[in-house]
Amino acid sequence: MAMNSIPSRGASGQEKPGAVLMPMLGLWIAVIAAQLISLAFGRVDASQSFASIALPSVVYLTVLTLPACWVGLVVGRQLGLGIFRSGPRGATSSDRAGNLGRDIGIAAGLGLLLGAAFLALRFVSQPYLPPEIPALGFRGVGGGLAVSLGAAIGEEVWFRFGLMSALVWGVGRLMRVGKPPDAVFWGVIVLASLGFALAHLPQLLSYGASAPFAIGGTVVGNVVVGVLYGWCFWRMGLVAAMAAHFSADVMMHVVSALVA
């Protein structure tokens, strides 16, 4: 399934540098901006001044983001992965905009449904969770929105656009095929989702919540949502994965603050 983020080529067959650099710059700006908003309004430790952590955060985020963007734009294109799903050859701008709107709507709807299910599950399991875990919606509506935006943009660039593309490409090389079969994509979606889940454990442990139930729930929950985000990326592109991630997080971080 071709994506319209595939870099264009000149008459010589070589990729035009701007076809990779411009999308890479745009994604980097989006990630940095979203993460800084998250740090400014959604950080847990309010005693840390934003100014003291902004520059180190930008450096760290740049190290994570630029390689992921390069992999997604250069390697992912060989696999039919990209920022958007392309329409049929010769599709008009209006058709492409309609397809994008439909993909975002589908992804956001699925994210809302899954987020609502996990929100209900969190309420039901509350008595079994360690008391150290912060209450639902503890960041408030503004902080929840900031965290949802930062996670949706940054984590999808890192785990789906970068990691997933790299893993599928690597398996394809081992199999000596240009594009692996669907079973490989599914396996990589699960594997990348497991990495996504494990990356959330340090935050959980920072609360002092090391109970097996909390750790197991965090891993399983993030694997499940990661599979949804991975499927959206595979079938509809990075923007759709971001939409699914944002809508699911809004249920957990924003709606929970409204109903708590």
Side-chain angles (χ1 to χ4, degrees):
M1 182 178 298
M3 298 287 176
N4 61 10
S5 61
I6 296 176
S8 60
R9 295 175 179 270
S12 64
Q14 298 296 317
E15 290 177 5
K16 298 177 181 179
V20 173
L21 294 180
M22 293 307 293
M24 183 182 295
L25 178 61
L27 288 172
W28 175 80
I29 290 173
V31 170
I32 296 299
Q35 291 294 311
L36 290 180
I37 290 171
S38 179
L39 284 173
F41 300 104
R43 66 186 184 278
V44 175
D45 187 1
S47 64
Q48 276 188 310
S49 70
F50 175 72
S52 68
I53 59 176
L55 181 58
S57 296
V58 169
V59 173
Y60 174 71
L61 292 168
T62 298
V63 171
L64 284 178
T65 303
L66 289 183
C69 291
W70 184 88
V71 169
L73 291 166
V74 176
V75 173
R77 71 180 179 82
Q78 303 173 26
L79 308 166
L81 302 172
I83 298 176
F84 312 109
R85 170 164 50 179
S86 64
R89 187 179 299 275
T92 66
S93 298
S94 177
D95 291 335
R96 288 193 293 269
N99 289 337
L100 177 60
R102 181 192 61 196
D103 289 345
I104 290 175
I106 292 171
L110 292 173
L112 287 172
L113 288 174
L114 193 56
F118 275 106
L119 183 58
L121 184 61
R122 173 66 186 270
F123 277 117
V124 171
S125 62
Q126 189 67 40
Y128 308 101
L129 295 172
E132 296 85 1
I133 294 182
L136 284 171
F138 72 99
R139 292 184 177 90
V141 173
L145 278 172
V147 168
S148 299
L149 179 67
I153 294 177
E155 291 175 359
E156 292 313 301
V157 167
W158 304 327
F159 287 97
R160 255 58 68 174
F161 202 54
L163 180 60
M164 240 185 85
S165 297
L167 289 174
V168 174
W169 179 84
V171 173
R173 296 282 288 183
L174 290 174
M175 296 176 66
R176 298 175 182 263
V177 296
K179 184 177 179 180
D182 288 357
V184 170
F185 282 86
W186 278 115
V188 166
I189 286 172
V190 174
L191 186 60
S193 298
L194 180 59
F196 174 70
L198 295 177
H200 284 77
L201 289 183
Q203 182 183 42
L204 178 70
L205 298 178
S206 71
Y207 299 141
S210 57
F213 183 80
I215 293 175
T218 297
V219 171
V220 172
N222 280 288
V223 167
V224 171
V225 295
V227 168
L228 171 63
Y229 307 155
W231 178 82
C232 288
F233 171 56
W234 175 31
R235 293 303 192 186
M236 295 182 283
L238 178 64
V239 171
M242 289 178 177
H245 195 149
F246 179 73
S247 59
D249 275 13
V250 162
M251 291 298 301
M252 293 297 295
H253 299 301
V254 178
V255 173
S256 62
L258 294 171
V259 301

